[in-house]
């Protein structure tokens, strides 16, 4: 069973990394959260009967773990009004765009982050609703509002 | 960045992959950093209070105090330690395979109950400890002030503890509040 679980985890570990990056600011906290999610997945694995997709099951437990955990308050970040002297040569590549995206998503409320991440994973409103526990129409309404907010955030950056 | 491009940026992000060996270690060792920290704290606290329970009878003149007061102190501290163990069980309870809304509501209810019992167990332990030391002493003005100072410190501590729990519980409720 352990090997089957590890295989599954290996195939879907991207989900865990994404959830950790969405809900924790510091790398040490992300590492802690990663381990906590693995712990809860492993404990829940014997009861997993593949009625839902593996990714849905993993997302459900990962989000539950991330939102139920107590976070240490991050240190306040002070932003300078001056432009930086040096511009990173990789500032326009996919990594930088991804950083921008994650930074914008982290400004959203916790549940909105979850809804948006599931949407970005190409899940249907029905699937998102099942994971979050709201109706598909509510998912649509929330997503509309989230997209507008995100658009504004990304324009600001 | 265009909103249409969000999905491709999201999906094309490079993921820092963990090796099978790292994940195997996590599974085998049952790593849960928050749980491990709490367990460690519980062990330290259990040792400290355990030592206290072993020595208090002789060291703090327990034999000169009524038996019910000695009993109260022992029961209060055993209750506190038992409650800590329940806290670990609450943290390690696996995240149920239910929706986020339902699961977090269950968790909030459990946390609320835990916080209430936590408050009572602390109050009982600190109260009985204070009562134990103050029982049968000869009062004078200095002792009145000292005792009042202790009581004030305890009240402040309990108030702070209560605030921490209330904020944790309200954080969980706030997840579902819509923003303007």
């Amino acid at each position: 069973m352990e090997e089957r679980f590890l295989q599954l985890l290996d195939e879907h570990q991207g989900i865990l990394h994404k959830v950790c990056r969405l809900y924790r600011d510091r790398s040490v906290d992300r590492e802690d959260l990663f381990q906590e999610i693995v712990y809860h997945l492993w404990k829940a694995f014997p009861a997993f009967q593949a009625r839902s997709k593996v990714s849905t099951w993993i997302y459900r437990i990962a989000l539950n773990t991330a939102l139920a955990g107590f976070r240490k308050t991050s240190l306040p970040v002070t932003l300078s009004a001056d432009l930086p002297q040096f511009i990173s040569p990789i500032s326009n590549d996919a990594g930088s765009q991804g950083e921008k995206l994650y930074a914008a998503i982290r400004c959203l409320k916790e549940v909105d982050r979850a809804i948006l991440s599931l949407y970005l994973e190409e899940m249907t409103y029905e699937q998102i609703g099942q994971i979050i526990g709201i109706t598909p129409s509510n998912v649509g309404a929330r997503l509309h509002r989230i997209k507008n907010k995100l658009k504004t955030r990304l324009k600001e950056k | 960045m265009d909103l249409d491009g969000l999905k491709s940026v999201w999906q094309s992000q490079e993921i820092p992959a963990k090796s099978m060996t790292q994940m195997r270690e996590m599974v085998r060792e049952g790593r849960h950093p928050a749980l491990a920290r709490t367990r460690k704290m519980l062990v330290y606290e259990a040792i400290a209070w355990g030592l206290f329970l072993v020595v208090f009878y002789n060291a703090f003149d327990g034999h000169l105090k009524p038996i019910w007061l000695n009993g109260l102190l022992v029961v209060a501290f055993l209750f506190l330690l038992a409650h800590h163990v329940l806290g670990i069980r609450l943290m390690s309870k696996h995240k149920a395979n239910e929706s986020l809304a339902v699961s977090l509501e269950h968790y909030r209810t459990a946390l609320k109950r835990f916080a209430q019992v936590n408050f009572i167990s602390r109050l009982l332990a600190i109260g009985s400890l204070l009562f134990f030391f103050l029982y049968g002493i000869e009062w004078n003005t200095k002792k009145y002030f000292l005792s009042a100072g202790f009581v004030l410190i305890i009240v402040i501590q309990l108030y702070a503890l209560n605030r921490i729990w209330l904020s944790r519980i309200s954080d969980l409720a706030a997840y579902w509040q819509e923003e303007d």
Side-chain angles (χ1 to χ4, degrees):
Chain A
M1 188 166 78
E2 188 186 284
E3 281 311 308
R4 205 153 52 89
F5 173 73
L6 286 170
Q7 198 61 46
L8 212 113
L9 193 60
D10 189 40
E11 284 165 21
H12 295 86
Q13 63 166 304
I15 296 176
L16 275 69
H17 286 290
K18 283 175 184 168
V19 169
C20 292
R21 204 167 161 191
L22 279 182
Y23 289 97
R24 298 294 184 269
D25 299 325
R26 301 185 311 160
S27 62
V28 61
D29 294 332
R30 285 179 197 158
E31 182 59 33
D32 281 1
L33 179 59
F34 190 96
Q35 294 183 13
E36 285 168 27
I37 297 171
V38 171
Y39 174 91
H40 286 292
L41 283 171
W42 176 232
K43 282 192 85 177
F45 187 61
F48 174 61
Q49 290 165 343
R51 278 198 201 118
S52 58
K53 273 172 71 179
V54 178
S55 57
T56 307
W57 175 71
I58 292 180
Y59 252 115
R60 205 172 259 173
I61 290 181
L63 290 171
N64 262 318
T65 310
L67 267 76
F70 300 129
R71 278 141 304 151
K72 295 174 204 105
T73 315
S74 312
L75 292 171
V77 177
T78 315
L79 297 173
S80 164
D82 303 320
L83 284 170
Q85 292 292 312
F86 302 102
I87 295 171
S88 163
I90 55 156
S91 59
N92 285 323
D93 67 7
S96 161
Q97 278 196 325
E99 218 22 83
K100 257 171 143 181
L101 176 61
Y102 273 102
I105 298 177
R106 278 201 294 266
C107 292
L108 298 171
K109 289 197 75 174
E110 282 85 350
V111 172
D112 288 349
R113 286 182 222 174
I115 294 172
L116 184 68
S117 62
L118 298 172
Y119 167 77
L120 294 174
E121 290 287 346
E122 308 267 18
M123 287 197 190
T124 62
Y125 286 9
E126 185 86 29
Q127 288 171 315
I128 299 174
Q130 278 172 6
I131 293 175
I132 304 292
I134 54 178
T135 61
S137 57
N138 200 341
V139 172
R142 272 184 176 249
L143 263 175
H144 179 70
R145 198 170 35 75
I146 294 167
K147 280 184 201 170
N148 284 338
K149 215 179 288 172
L150 198 64
K151 210 172 187 174
T152 318
R153 293 263 180 216
L154 288 168
K155 268 185 193 162
E156 284 168 5
K157 286 176 186 285
Chain B
M1 194 190 300
D2 194 307
L3 272 180
D4 296 334
L6 286 183
K7 278 186 185 174
S8 59
V9 172
W10 174 264
Q11 283 157 12
S12 65
Q13 277 300 289
E14 210 170 288
I15 302 295
K18 293 219 183 282
S19 70
M20 279 293 248
T21 319
Q22 283 175 304
M23 290 192 289
R24 187 173 286 113
E25 276 171 15
M26 279 182 210
V27 170
R28 290 205 176 148
E29 291 170 18
R31 281 189 209 161
H32 190 305
L35 207 57
R37 282 193 289 270
T38 313
R39 269 199 202 116
K40 207 166 162 189
M41 200 185 79
L42 172 66
V43 170
Y44 290 152
E45 218 170 297
I47 291 171
W49 291 122
L51 279 175
F52 174 75
L53 288 179
V54 169
V55 303
F56 88 95
Y57 194 75
N58 293 321
F60 302 111
D61 298 333
H63 57 288
L64 298 177
K65 317 264 179 183
I67 192 79
W68 62 265
L69 190 52
N70 285 284
L72 178 70
L73 196 62
V74 173
V75 168
F77 280 100
L78 289 180
F79 181 52
L80 185 70
L81 292 176
H83 182 62
H84 279 357
V85 176
L86 282 180
I88 287 184
R89 279 191 61 188
L90 179 68
M91 280 177 79
S92 64
K93 199 176 164 199
H94 79 77
K95 307 297 169 200
N97 195 17
E98 49 199 9
S99 75
L100 203 58
V102 173
S103 170
L104 288 179
E105 188 48 38
H106 286 164
Y107 184 63
R108 196 169 75 94
T109 310
L111 204 61
K112 228 170 165 178
R113 206 177 307 126
F114 181 81
Q116 285 162 352
V117 183
N118 183 266
F119 184 83
I120 293 167
S121 67
R122 292 258 164 205
L123 183 68
L124 193 66
I126 301 171
S128 59
L129 186 67
L130 194 67
F131 194 49
F132 179 85
F133 283 115
L134 296 181
Y135 188 88
I137 62 167
E138 283 180 26
W139 290 95
N140 57 36
T141 315
K142 195 180 163 191
K143 284 178 185 170
Y144 277 125
F145 276 110
L146 264 174
S147 309
F150 280 130
V151 170
L152 187 67
I153 291 169
I154 292 167
V155 169
I156 292 170
Q157 277 187 341
L158 288 174
Y159 175 74
L161 182 74
N162 200 35
R163 285 286 301 266
I164 292 169
W165 280 115
L166 285 178
S167 111
R168 283 174 179 175
I169 293 162
S170 64
D171 277 355
L172 284 171
Y175 286 158
W176 302 98
Q177 283 163 10
E178 300 259 3
E179 276 179 316
D180 297 327

